[in-house]
Amino acid sequence: MIIGFWSDRAGIGGTTSNMIITGVMAAKETDREVILIQGKYDILKLDYAFSPGIRNDILKEDFGYYNHPGIDDVLEKHMNNLYTGKDFYENLISVNQSNLLYMPGSIRNNPDLFRQKFQRVSQRFFKALKGLDKLIFIELDSGMESLGRHMLNLLDLIVVNIGQGSKMIHDIKNQPILMEKALFLIGRYDSNSKYNVRNMIRRQRINEDFVAVIPYSVKYQDSVNEGKTMEFVNRHYKCLKYEEDFSFFKEAGKASKMILKRVNSIGT
């Protein structure tokens, strides 16, 4: 099952951090392996969220971190017709004591070259992932140009990350193929805003089962920046109602369950 995380514009919906927390929470809710991949170039790489200086929460395999090139190696082998299923697993890192894995992001310093390479082999890359009994969360480049018909056909679901008060839903609702696979995730959510989720559902006439929110959490963002995401989650995700992080984990849990419910309804 391939679940794309996407936004129409960079920096408005917190796509990367949304994918990380929903992936972490989904891994706690299912026995299936959950794999996080960054299918875009970003200075803030996905693996930074799980890689503190000492790497206490990373399960190292036989060779160690720097022998796992990640997405760069996988794309390169697809381009040269050298890819095998073994290559995919060799480029994953397991987060200790969980069924969560991630693929290190690109270490190249040329975003345009990475984008061209990814677009060139995306069809082969996604088809290779289709046969795996895993939940694969993959972040895609922002912008409508990155979400062509061929990409939509390759994805099983797409989580559309939006900011509060975003008007982009008007455009998305006019694209039947996208709407068939879309779930909506409002990032950096503030329930005190007049653009709350209830008003959005009512105004946009969207099925409430297909919309979730991720409240802004300073502690969560700090943990991502410090490579201590799992430490933060494991310490606080069962916090009580009166505690500071209760709302964040309550809504993040709802978001992950929304995705898993849709996955189960598709039956892939």
Side-chain angles (χ1 to χ4, degrees), residues 28-263:
K28 291 183 175 296
E29 297 285 340
T30 181
D31 293 331
R32 295 172 72 177
E33 287 186 334
V34 178
I35 298 172
L36 307 181
I37 301 174
Q38 205 164 25
K40 55 172 280 190
Y41 180 87
D42 201 324
I43 294 174
L44 300 174
K45 303 187 194 318
L46 169 66
D47 32 316
Y48 290 176
F50 302 102
S51 304
I54 305 177
R55 302 186 188 280
N56 284 331
D57 57 346
I58 301 302
L59 176 63
K60 293 187 178 181
E61 303 293 346
D62 293 339
F63 299 102
Y65 178 77
Y66 286 107
N67 289 331
H68 291 267
I71 189 72
D72 290 326
D73 185 60
V74 171
L75 296 184
E76 196 69 36
K77 285 180 175 170
H78 271 296
M79 287 190 70
N80 293 295
N81 296 315
L82 297 173
Y83 177 84
T84 67
K86 183 180 177 182
D87 294 313
F88 179 72
Y89 291 102
E90 288 183 345
N91 283 286
L92 293 176
I93 293 184
S94 302
V95 179
N96 198 18
Q97 298 180 337
S98 77
N99 53 328
L100 181 73
L101 304 93
Y102 69 88
M103 182 173 288
S106 177
I107 61 172
R108 311 301 184 204
N109 55 10
N110 188 326
D112 290 333
L113 183 60
F114 177 85
R115 190 175 297 113
Q116 292 169 14
K117 188 178 294 187
F118 185 82
Q119 290 173 349
R120 183 175 170 184
V121 303
S122 60
Q123 192 154 350
R124 277 177 279 173
F125 179 44
F126 279 64
K127 283 184 176 178
L129 300 181
K130 281 279 189 181
L132 304 177
D133 183 28
K134 318 288 181 187
L135 298 181
I136 299 171
F137 290 23
I138 182 163
E139 184 183 7
L140 304 171
D141 254 331
S142 56
M144 292 302 302
E145 65 278 1
S146 68
L147 207 62
R149 181 179 290 268
H150 83 284
M151 181 62 74
L152 287 172
N153 289 333
L154 292 169
L155 296 168
D156 295 298
L157 287 176
I158 177 158
V159 179
V160 180
N161 294 260
I162 59 177
Q164 227 164 330
S166 173
K167 296 178 174 59
M168 68 172 288
I169 296 175
H170 293 293
D171 297 328
I172 292 175
K173 288 176 72 175
N174 293 325
Q175 300 190 52
I177 297 177
L178 175 52
M179 281 299 293
E180 284 177 9
K181 299 183 177 186
L183 297 171
F184 294 92
L185 193 53
I186 306 174
R188 300 167 182 162
Y189 181 73
D190 185 343
S191 60
N192 295 313
S193 169
K194 67 179 180 179
Y195 298 105
N196 60 60
V197 66
R198 284 291 164 198
N199 282 339
M200 192 202 85
I201 290 170
R202 178 176 53 81
R203 290 175 181 175
Q204 301 297 339
R205 298 180 181 177
I206 296 175
N207 188 331
E208 65 179 333
D209 292 336
F210 296 168
V211 183
V213 305
I214 302 290
Y216 183 77
S217 166
V218 172
K219 287 184 179 179
Y220 168 61
Q221 294 298 333
D222 285 349
S223 74
V224 170
N225 292 334
E226 295 169 358
K228 298 179 179 179
T229 303
M230 292 304 296
E231 181 181 327
F232 169 74
V233 172
N234 289 334
R235 183 178 297 172
H236 297 289
Y237 85 100
K238 288 186 177 180
C239 60
L240 301 175
K241 191 172 183 178
Y242 62 84
E243 295 183 83
E244 180 182 356
D245 300 303
F246 178 80
S247 177
F248 174 76
F249 281 106
K250 176 184 175 183
E251 298 300 340
K254 285 183 179 178
S256 68
K257 287 174 183 175
M258 174 184 72
I259 294 170
L260 293 174
K261 182 178 179 181
R262 190 74 178 273
V263 166

